[in-house]
Amino acid sequence: MVDILNTGDTAWILISTVLVLLMSIPGIAFFYGGLAKKKNVLNTMFLTLIAFAIVSIIWVIYGYQFAFGADINGLIGYPANLLMSGIGINDVNGSIPSILFVAFQLTFAGLTAALISGAVIGRMKFSAWIAFIVVWISAVYIPIAHWVWGGGWLMQMGALDFAGGTVVHISSGISALALVLILKSRKSKTLLPHNLGYSVLGAAFLWFGWMGFNGGSALTAGGLAASALLVSNIAAAVALVTWVCIDTIKEGKPTVLGAISGAIAGLVAITPAAGFVDVSGAIVIGIGASIASYFAITYLKPRLGYDDALDVFGIHGMSGIWGAIATGIFAAPFINEAAGLLYGNPGQISIQIIAVIATIAYAFVVTIIIAKIIDLTIGLRVKEKDEVEGLDTNLHEESGYML
Amino acid sequence: MKRVIAIIRQEKLEDVKSALVSAGCEGMTVNEVKGRGKQLGIKESYRGSNYCIDLIPKTRIELVIKKEDLEEVLKTIQESARTGEIGDGKIFVSPVEEVVRIRTGENGREAV
């Protein structure tokens, strides 16, 4: 097939790229910022801003090339276009400009790195976070993106990941868990949001942007993009309602934080499946997402004692795992060729499970190593005094509120 | 002269203010404060974990009045700030030795 530029497709992916940018800044910044303590609101938002900026730079220098360059033994891409050399503005990838694909993928990488910050807020050194992002995006995200999307071994095996269940959500969720195991708990392990309204806004921006995240992953402006957008929305809606029901049954009252947590869990879970399942599949995926994440946050976390401050593992890790496996169950051949268990292809589940396990194992082990090295060299934790008094004034000489 | 300090619900401030003005008592100082009573706060739930919020935001109104107005002021605050539920607050009364109006230098009852 000859690659010919299509302006309709190009327009949609340009919009989608900006929508995914909206998910990080302001989406994640607001979502996490509101859940943080008042004394850490700026530091929390700053972690998102700096992560997105650093990844943006790395992505155009060498990130994209290693992730999407010509495959070397299924493991990594060949970096032929360092600093974008050799990619002209008129080059076409499918029906969109090659540089647009680079930009679209840039926002995914930036978002994924920013997601991890939710686990470590309130006690990680800013310099350590910068070092972590540089190494993590290079050593964890880029190889996994190559394996799943860039022609690597998981792609060759037939693993399905439409918009990033393994690449984005499992990798960030598991890495968040690994990082906090080395970083250790905050002095005060409570989740007392200082401005839940921010978090509702942030979650709403995430939901809004996610339409471009999943819809744009079709890479064309057509029926597949529309289907991905529709099933993403329904999964979020169903997961929100499911979490509200669980909250009401378990706690007696529905909570707003529960509702937005459910919506995000649903969006996470539908991400790998968005271009493969129909609405009925999406409904089951949405219900499962809230159950899996609620279980992780209220039962697993207190029993295991790890301090994932804003539940990055609980929501992105757990719902990402559920979504990736569910893709192997519900993939419908009348949506996008691939068939899952329900449509007579049980083998797809095994492939999905291999992709999940490989991502978990690789992201966990490499992140542990990165975190340990940073801890032994520049140190991961802030001074106890800084943590108690707040990171905003002690690390940045600023405060979020002058009232 | 007496100083009256009333700790009330935040949402009752407007009611108490207008009731005091109707009772002829215009001057007051208002602070946002945090505190707790015998019930030791309230319970809140975030993502399935319960927390006891033991210092609750309240509003503190401070006013200095003539001795003979005390009963009326206490009654006014009590009626306008009451909901009947736990957490309606408390009123404290203490004597005031001297009052000086900075602009004119008036003192005592004249300055109240």
Side-chain angles (χ1 to χ4, degrees):
Chain A
M1 205 177 86
V2 185
D3 289 344
I4 299 173
L5 186 113
N6 178 299
T7 50
D9 293 346
T10 303
W12 168 235
I13 306 307
L14 281 166
I15 292 168
S16 293
T17 303
V18 183
L19 285 173
V20 184
L21 172 64
L22 184 90
M23 291 172 70
S24 307
I25 316 161
I28 297 174
F30 260 131
F31 185 51
Y32 286 172
L35 292 174
K37 292 195 168 79
K38 200 187 209 170
K39 62 185 180 183
N40 295 328
V41 57
L42 290 180
N43 177 263
T44 301
M45 290 181 159
F46 206 172
L47 298 184
T48 299
L49 293 171
I50 197 84
F52 200 89
I54 290 171
V55 172
S56 296
I57 297 166
I58 290 177
W59 196 251
V60 293
I61 296 177
Y62 64 83
Y64 168 79
Q65 297 81 341
F66 277 106
F68 289 93
D71 180 55
I72 306 174
N73 298 326
L75 296 176
I76 197 77
Y78 179 74
N81 305 103
L82 294 174
L83 270 169
M84 298 287 109
S85 65
I87 301 181
I89 62 164
N90 294 317
D91 290 357
V92 177
N93 180 345
S95 60
I96 63 170
S98 300
I99 45 173
L100 176 54
F101 183 69
V102 174
F104 186 55
Q105 285 297 333
L106 176 154
T107 57
F108 278 61
L111 169 88
T112 308
L115 279 176
I116 301 172
S117 68
V120 305
I121 59 150
R123 78 260 206 215
M124 189 167 178
K125 271 188 186 174
F126 196 66
S127 55
W129 173 248
I130 291 173
F132 177 79
I133 289 303
V134 171
V135 184
W136 186 85
I137 205 75
S138 308
V140 178
Y141 183 85
I142 289 169
I144 294 177
H146 180 76
W147 299 352
V148 179
W149 289 335
W153 67 281
L154 288 171
M155 192 179 191
Q156 292 164 20
M157 195 188 276
L160 302 178
D161 187 357
F162 192 69
T166 49
V167 181
V168 175
H169 298 291
I170 298 180
S171 76
S172 61
I174 294 294
S175 298
L177 179 64
L179 182 54
V180 297
L181 291 179
I182 306 291
L183 184 62
K184 309 240 166 43
S185 302
R186 289 162 293 162
K187 295 269 156 233
S188 159
K189 269 170 68 172
T190 51
L191 172 65
L192 282 176
H194 89 284
N195 190 337
L196 212 41
Y198 277 2
S199 302
V200 175
L201 266 178
F205 279 129
L206 280 165
W207 190 333
F208 180 63
W210 225 298
M211 298 297 119
F213 190 81
N214 288 1
S217 290
L219 296 176
T220 55
L224 183 60
S227 171
L229 191 148
L230 185 69
V231 296
S232 299
N233 190 68
I234 194 71
V238 168
L240 185 154
V241 172
T242 304
W243 199 299
V244 167
C245 292
I246 299 174
D247 248 355
T248 311
I249 294 164
K250 306 284 291 182
E251 302 292 327
K253 283 178 188 166
T255 66
V256 182
L257 179 57
I260 58 177
S261 305
I264 303 297
L267 287 161
V268 167
I270 195 66
T271 294
F276 300 109
V277 303
D278 63 359
V279 164
S280 55
I283 290 172
V284 183
I285 288 174
I287 295 170
S290 278
I291 294 172
S293 288
Y294 191 94
F295 165 78
I297 291 167
T298 52
Y299 293 99
L300 219 52
K301 186 166 129 172
R303 269 167 193 71
L304 299 180
Y306 60 90
D307 184 15
D308 176 3
L310 306 183
D311 299 310
V312 181
F313 167 70
I315 291 184
H316 295 273
M318 288 301 281
S319 281
I321 292 168
W322 157 243
I325 295 169
T327 306
I329 302 173
F330 298 104
F334 50 86
I335 300 285
N336 191 0
E337 291 172 9
L341 173 69
L342 290 186
Y343 299 91
N345 181 19
Q348 190 62 45
I349 292 198
S350 326
I351 298 174
Q352 294 303 104
I353 291 174
I354 291 170
V356 168
I357 292 172
T359 308
I360 292 175
Y362 183 76
F364 189 83
V365 172
V366 179
T367 305
I368 288 275
I369 295 169
I370 298 170
K372 200 72 205 170
I373 292 172
I374 295 176
D375 198 27
L376 292 173
T377 50
I378 58 175
L380 280 176
R381 285 286 284 239
V382 295
K383 286 183 228 134
E384 191 176 326
K385 175 178 173 287
D386 295 347
E387 183 178 338
V388 172
E389 291 174 4
L391 303 187
D392 290 359
T393 45
N394 288 18
L395 264 55
H396 310 299
E397 296 289 357
E398 291 172 303
S399 83
Y401 304 90
M402 292 280 189
L403 298 174
Chain B
M1 292 168 293
K2 296 282 184 189
R3 179 171 65 164
V4 176
I5 293 174
I7 312 285
I8 61 163
R9 293 179 186 276
Q10 287 184 315
E11 66 272 21
K12 280 288 180 187
L13 177 61
E14 287 307 314
D15 292 351
V16 174
K17 236 166 47 182
S18 51
L20 281 171
V21 170
S22 309
C25 192
E26 286 94 5
M28 65 184 72
T29 306
V30 176
N31 287 120
E32 291 190 358
V33 294
K34 279 185 180 179
R36 66 185 189 191
K38 267 189 190 165
Q39 81 280 10
L40 294 180
I42 51 170
K43 196 194 86 173
E44 288 186 9
S45 171
Y46 294 102
R47 278 192 185 141
S49 302
N50 293 320
Y51 299 99
C52 185
I53 311 297
D54 59 359
L55 292 176
I56 303 163
K58 292 281 172 190
T59 298
R60 178 181 183 274
I61 305 176
E62 182 174 347
L63 49 161
V64 175
I65 53 173
K66 291 176 190 143
K67 203 175 170 184
E68 59 268 28
D69 296 337
L70 183 62
E71 207 172 313
E72 170 76 9
V73 165
L74 292 182
K75 197 170 132 239
T76 306
I77 296 176
Q78 219 187 328
E79 281 172 0
S80 56
R82 184 165 52 213
T83 67
E85 300 291 318
I86 288 170
D88 275 350
K90 278 205 173 72
I91 306 174
F92 306 97
V93 180
S94 50
V96 171
E97 282 186 15
E98 181 62 294
V99 180
V100 177
R101 176 170 283 131
I102 294 174
R103 176 171 55 85
T104 59
E106 290 165 289
N107 64 348
R109 287 173 58 88
E110 298 303 311
V112 170

